[in-house]
Amino acid sequence: MKNPVIVDAIRSPMARAKPDGALAQLHPVDLLSQVLQQLVERNKIDPGQVDDVICGCVSQAGEQAGTPGRLAWLAAGLPTHVPSTTIDRKCGSSQQAVHFAAQAIMAGVQDMVIACGVESMSRVPMGSSRMGQNINGARLDARYAPGLVGQGVSADLVAAKWGLSRTELDAYAARSHQRAAAAQSAGRFEREIVAIDTPAGRVLADETIRAGTTVEKLAGLKAVFESEELSKRFPQIQWSTTAGNASQMTDGASAMLIMSEERALQLGLKPRARFVAFDVVGDDPLYMLTAPIPATQRVLAKAKMKLEDIHHYEINEAFASVPMAWQKELQADGERLNPRGGAIALGHPLGASGIRLMTTMLHALEDSGQRYGLQSMCEAGGMANATIIERL
């Protein structure tokens, strides 16, 4: 069995998904094409040797409807014979793209694969592909009567189940911004970010981080998912999820160059990390956001490791209650959890987030000299991917 390794991992700056956001004027294909082009150029690989481009993208509608990885590859002027496919495992789409890329190499089917992800949430709003329709169907609605709920309500259900107060959620959110701001000011993101050219100029840095965020400021925000009907159905909920303690809607792209170790060494490229274990699991779709807990337990068991053996944890901050419940359930060290901030500060461009997290984790392991990193992301429908990597 071949050994897949990470040779490089990069991302665009994270930009607010607003009409005046730094990347809002850029078509998602043009955004991803710049990331792919720079990944190829900085590693001096022959792009014609790439076996596949596996792209995570959630809202496959409008400008993102046309196999965005394939179109971005062509837009970058790269060889036409290289194919691409699109993965949708919701928030974990590009993390799943990484898994599929590595697994293809392990199987000996391919030697060099690019996993990537893109989401322009300012140009293709979340939920666009639903076209206003009921996505569940009668049989699913019957199984989970009186009905499943949206992720925001699930976030409040998770907070209630794990006894997380509004103040604790806001404190976690403020800490995410503070950690990201500290990393940004220290230049910790510079190696992982590639510049993106837009009609308005070149974008070099994340614009989502709010260094001045405090618990006091967040306390003034209104809970956004409360309703009289839901309060009757779920009397245990305290309605604590706000725009401030949830991830930011964001535009962004990311990409990772994955090869067999043998091919990397043949090309004179230095493997930066290897994959220790993978997992993906489903959990209660009503609570929806809890699957990182069993996914972590399963991936650790596969790796024959304990959580204490891991030096860096990346648990996606879809909502503050998600990593907090994960930390509380697994008794994890909070200093190792999202030490450079997470999606509350850096944003959550759905299809690109999996590789964004892994890119940040890899660079943090290199900067600290630490060895193992674990990543997991909650996904719509109550799923989660989990990955353990080892820095080389």
Side-chain angles (χ1 to χ4, degrees):
M1 186 173 65
K2 292 188 176 181
N3 182 31
V5 294
I6 299 171
V7 172
D8 201 5
I10 58 175
R11 65 177 179 90
S12 73
M14 300 289 105
R16 297 187 187 98
K18 295 181 177 181
D20 61 350
L23 299 175
Q25 296 184 45
L26 201 60
H27 192 291
V29 167
D30 296 331
L31 169 58
L32 179 58
S33 70
Q34 294 187 52
V35 176
L36 293 175
Q37 184 174 10
Q38 293 184 72
L39 184 70
V40 168
E41 289 176 351
R42 66 192 252 149
N43 289 283
K44 297 181 174 59
I45 60 168
D46 174 0
Q49 293 183 4
V50 174
D51 294 306
D52 204 357
V53 177
I54 306 177
C55 180
C57 184
V58 174
S59 296
Q60 296 176 43
E63 293 178 346
Q64 294 177 169
T67 315
R70 170 66 173 170
L71 300 183
W73 183 263
L74 296 176
L78 298 168
T80 58
H81 70 268
V82 176
S84 180
T85 192
T86 313
I87 301 298
D88 176 14
R89 204 187 285 278
K90 303 308 176 189
C91 298
S93 294
S94 59
Q95 185 175 358
Q96 184 63 65
V98 169
H99 286 200
F100 283 157
Q103 289 160 1
I105 291 170
M106 291 169 73
V109 177
Q110 296 172 333
D111 266 325
M112 184 188 304
V113 183
I114 291 176
C116 61
V118 67
E119 207 82 33
S120 178
M121 300 181 77
S122 59
R123 299 174 72 97
V124 188
M126 186 169 62
S128 296
S129 58
R130 295 185 181 188
M131 300 186 293
Q133 303 299 305
N134 173 11
I135 62 171
N136 292 341
R139 297 184 71 184
L140 183 66
D141 285 341
R143 178 175 179 179
Y144 292 101
L148 297 173
V149 296
Q151 290 190 32
V153 179
S154 293
D156 279 318
L157 281 169
V158 170
K161 182 174 181 178
W162 273 271
L164 304 169
S165 69
R166 167 68 184 270
T167 300
E168 289 175 308
L169 297 175
D170 287 346
Y172 181 94
R175 186 163 62 250
S176 180
H177 282 280
Q178 291 159 7
R179 288 180 171 183
Q184 186 179 57
S185 64
R188 296 301 190 187
F189 294 133
E190 291 178 4
R191 287 196 303 123
E192 67 189 62
I193 292 177
V194 294
I196 300 296
D197 291 320
T198 77
R202 177 164 287 192
V203 183
L204 298 167
D206 300 316
E207 69 165 358
T208 51
I209 303 167
R210 297 190 294 269
T213 300
T214 64
V215 176
E216 293 72 25
K217 289 179 180 178
L218 292 174
L221 297 176
K222 182 180 179 182
V224 290
F225 299 105
E226 182 176 6
S227 75
E228 184 176 346
E229 178 184 355
L230 288 169
S231 293
K232 289 179 180 178
R233 181 179 172 187
F234 303 113
Q236 72 271 35
I237 291 181
Q238 299 300 310
W239 302 110
S240 300
T241 299
T242 72
N245 57 39
S247 57
Q248 298 180 56
M249 293 187 183
T250 312
D251 301 335
S254 56
M256 180 176 289
L257 179 59
I258 303 171
M259 296 185 190
S260 66
E261 185 175 22
E262 180 183 17
R263 174 61 65 87
L265 295 176
Q266 285 174 351
L267 296 176
L269 296 168
K270 183 182 184 301
R272 295 169 63 181
R274 73 174 186 94
F275 297 96
V276 177
F278 314 96
D279 196 30
V280 62
V281 67
D283 202 11
D284 186 341
L286 179 65
Y287 278 78
M288 197 182 304
L289 311 171
T290 56
I293 295 169
T296 296
Q297 293 167 330
R298 283 166 47 120
V299 80
L300 287 168
K302 287 181 177 180
K304 296 181 172 56
M305 299 177 74
K306 297 178 181 179
L307 192 60
E308 309 89 77
D309 299 327
I310 307 294
H311 305 106
H312 183 122
Y313 318 134
E314 284 287 332
I315 306 300
N316 192 37
E317 295 174 358
F319 302 90
S321 59
V322 176
M324 292 184 72
W326 179 92
Q327 179 185 355
K328 193 168 186 178
E329 183 70 21
L330 299 177
Q331 299 183 328
D333 180 357
E335 295 303 311
R336 305 184 194 188
L337 175 59
N338 302 343
R340 296 189 173 181
I344 291 172
L346 293 167
H348 184 14
L350 307 175
S353 286
I355 293 175
R356 199 288 297 165
L357 266 69
M358 203 170 295
T359 297
T360 299
M361 181 167 69
L362 172 62
H363 285 83
L365 288 171
E366 290 176 338
D367 289 343
S368 66
Q370 293 173 328
R371 186 173 179 184
Y372 292 108
L374 180 148
Q375 172 180 324
S376 188
M377 306 181 70
C378 59
E379 300 153 356
M383 302 181 290
N385 283 81
T387 317
I388 297 175
I389 65 170
E390 179 186 10
R391 180 188 64 81
L392 296 174

